[in-house]
Amino acid sequence: MLKVSIVVPVYNTEKYLERCVQSLLAQTLHEIEIILVDDGATDSSPEICDRYAQEYGFVKAVHKANGGLSSARNAGMKAASGEYIGFVDSDDDVEPDMYQKMYECAHREGVDFVMSDYIRIPSEGDSYLKTLPIRGGLYQKEDIVKDIYPSLIMAGNIDYGPLLSVWHCLYKRDFLEKNNLYFNEDVRWSEDNIFSAKAGYCASSFYYMKGSGLYHYYQNAGTITTSYRKGAWDVYLTMHRHLQKHFADVPDYDFTQQLKWHLIYYACNCIGQTAALKEEQQKEEIRRILETDELKKALRHVDLSQASRKLRVQIDLMKLRQAGLLQKMIQRRNSHA
């Protein structure tokens, strides 16, 4: 059996794809396969995938109709034959020894997954190591319950907890299959949030390689956006419903507050993004978000003791459904940005 399958979803990243694949070809761990999943790209990415597959026997090119990142990752997982599965975004790259170090750690510790730190590379300015606010080392189930569960879905300051992105992790394939872990294809953005929360909940153990910046996360122009995306709130509502279905009634931990924090986080996110709309459209979209039944329910009896004062003010306005005041707050914030 191959040691590691590396799944690379590809969609219109011809500018960065070769850099990504070259870093995978340079891996010091040789018993690997690289699965390039062309998600209906319309640039030269499909031809680049085919060229690498023809040149290297351990590179597979999978072509499919466009279905989004979740769909592409699922297609790659189905094609994988390795003992472990890793994910790399096609506009990023990795250290040459990333998968050797992670594989050796996973085998030595006998864990369900391994997580490293990563290097964040902004479009301007210096690169820096991104590390997580938890201790490094081995986490057994009792450690996961004690240290990870309290912020598994969302932390009390209305921000992400330590388990979020899949691309700096290596998962045992048997673990994923046994727990039926896959990406929800009707969630086109922030899909890692669901997958990582489920993986963290199901894991018996994991290992955090704190201080090892093995993955290179690029803030590439044109691949990351904070602008308004039509339908984003509906996508995030779908994500919330998946999380609600999975976590609302689990017997061993109460995730009620985290589910509320999670929906409030994305409501704040979507309200902030309306700044890109015309004034009347902005107010209409804010009202639509505030009138959502799930959000109204989440805003009731929510613990905001760890949230910042500024955020608490915004959430109070959301509770009162003050679309006009929220609009002015966002406009003022953007004028000072």
Side-chain angles (χ1 to χ4, degrees):
M1 179 186 289
L2 287 168
K3 291 179 178 177
V4 172
S5 298
I6 305 168
V7 175
V8 184
V10 179
Y11 182 75
N12 291 0
T13 50
E14 61 182 9
K15 185 176 178 181
Y16 312 107
L17 181 55
E18 297 208 33
R19 180 185 68 192
C20 173
V21 178
Q22 288 296 328
S23 76
L24 300 178
L25 294 174
Q27 289 300 295
T28 55
L29 182 69
H30 297 301
E31 297 91 337
I32 65 171
E33 64 177 354
I34 302 166
I35 304 171
L36 306 176
V37 184
D38 160 35
D39 188 38
T42 57
D43 62 1
S44 65
S45 297
E47 289 75 24
I48 296 172
C49 293
D50 285 338
R51 173 161 53 81
Y52 277 113
Q54 290 165 8
E55 189 172 349
Y56 298 93
F58 58 96
V59 177
K60 296 180 182 177
V62 176
H63 299 280
K64 59 181 289 298
N66 179 251
L69 185 56
S70 294
S71 173
R73 284 177 174 165
N74 286 342
M77 290 169 69
K78 289 175 184 175
S81 57
E83 185 182 358
Y84 291 84
I85 295 178
F87 301 95
V88 175
D89 287 352
S90 58
D91 55 330
D92 295 330
D93 60 29
V94 302
E95 288 288 315
D97 57 356
M98 174 172 176
Y99 287 106
Q100 181 168 349
K101 284 183 174 178
M102 297 186 86
Y103 175 81
E104 289 174 352
C105 178
H107 248 250
R108 181 181 69 247
E109 302 294 340
V111 292
D112 292 322
F113 69 92
V114 175
M115 179 172 65
S116 76
D117 281 333
Y118 60 97
I119 305 295
R120 196 177 188 99
I121 305 174
S123 54
E124 295 181 2
D126 296 331
S127 304
Y128 59 94
L129 178 71
K130 184 69 174 177
T131 191
L132 301 171
I134 57 173
R135 67 165 177 83
L138 177 65
Y139 284 76
Q140 301 285 10
K141 190 65 181 184
E142 58 269 26
D143 303 310
I144 296 173
V145 173
K146 175 177 173 288
D147 299 331
I148 305 300
Y149 276 16
S151 56
L152 180 66
I153 300 169
M154 186 66 61
N157 62 348
I158 321 295
D159 203 354
Y160 288 119
L163 302 188
L164 174 62
S165 300
V166 301
W167 33 254
H168 59 120
C169 297
L170 185 66
Y171 301 91
K172 194 168 186 178
R173 185 156 63 97
D174 285 351
F175 163 70
L176 299 179
E177 291 175 351
K178 180 179 70 176
N179 291 285
N180 196 29
L181 291 173
Y182 59 90
F183 295 89
N184 294 97
E185 297 189 10
D186 53 352
V187 178
R188 296 180 67 89
W189 307 305
S190 303
E191 63 292 316
D192 287 17
N193 199 194
I194 304 179
F195 185 94
S196 296
K198 289 181 179 179
Y201 179 75
C202 294
S204 298
S205 60
F206 76 89
Y207 194 96
Y208 173 32
M209 301 172 66
K210 193 176 184 73
S212 296
L214 302 178
Y215 189 95
H216 301 162
Y217 177 82
Y218 289 82
Q219 290 182 266
N220 295 311
T223 60
I224 297 173
T225 178
T226 56
S227 61
Y228 176 74
R229 290 182 289 192
K230 186 176 181 180
W233 177 238
D234 301 301
V235 170
Y236 296 138
L237 269 179
T238 299
M239 174 167 55
H240 173 73
R241 288 162 185 160
H242 281 299
L243 287 167
Q244 188 81 18
K245 182 178 178 181
H246 189 84
F247 287 102
D249 298 315
V250 294
D252 51 347
Y253 199 84
D254 184 1
F255 289 101
T256 303
Q257 288 294 323
Q258 290 187 55
L259 290 166
K260 291 182 178 185
W261 296 334
H262 183 269
L263 190 59
I264 291 168
Y265 173 93
Y266 280 105
C268 291
N269 183 281
C270 288
I271 288 171
Q273 287 183 10
T274 63
L277 298 174
K278 293 180 180 178
E279 192 165 325
E280 193 53 43
Q281 290 176 308
Q282 182 185 21
K283 185 176 286 188
E284 184 180 334
E285 181 65 6
I286 293 172
R287 283 174 177 155
R288 186 176 81 88
I289 293 168
L290 296 178
E291 289 300 325
T292 306
D293 287 338
E294 287 103 327
L295 180 60
K296 290 179 185 177
K297 185 176 179 181
L299 288 167
R300 291 197 293 267
H301 309 299
V302 62
D303 178 6
L304 299 175
S305 59
Q306 297 178 54
S308 68
R309 182 180 178 277
K310 187 183 292 185
L311 185 55
R312 290 201 301 271
V313 169
Q314 179 172 338
I315 293 171
D316 282 342
L317 292 176
M318 291 164 63
K319 286 180 180 179
L320 296 169
R321 297 198 283 287
Q322 293 293 318
L325 290 176
L326 284 165
Q327 184 180 29
K328 288 178 182 178
M329 177 185 284
I330 294 162
Q331 290 170 347
R332 191 183 311 118
R333 185 186 303 160
N334 283 356
S335 68
H336 294 307

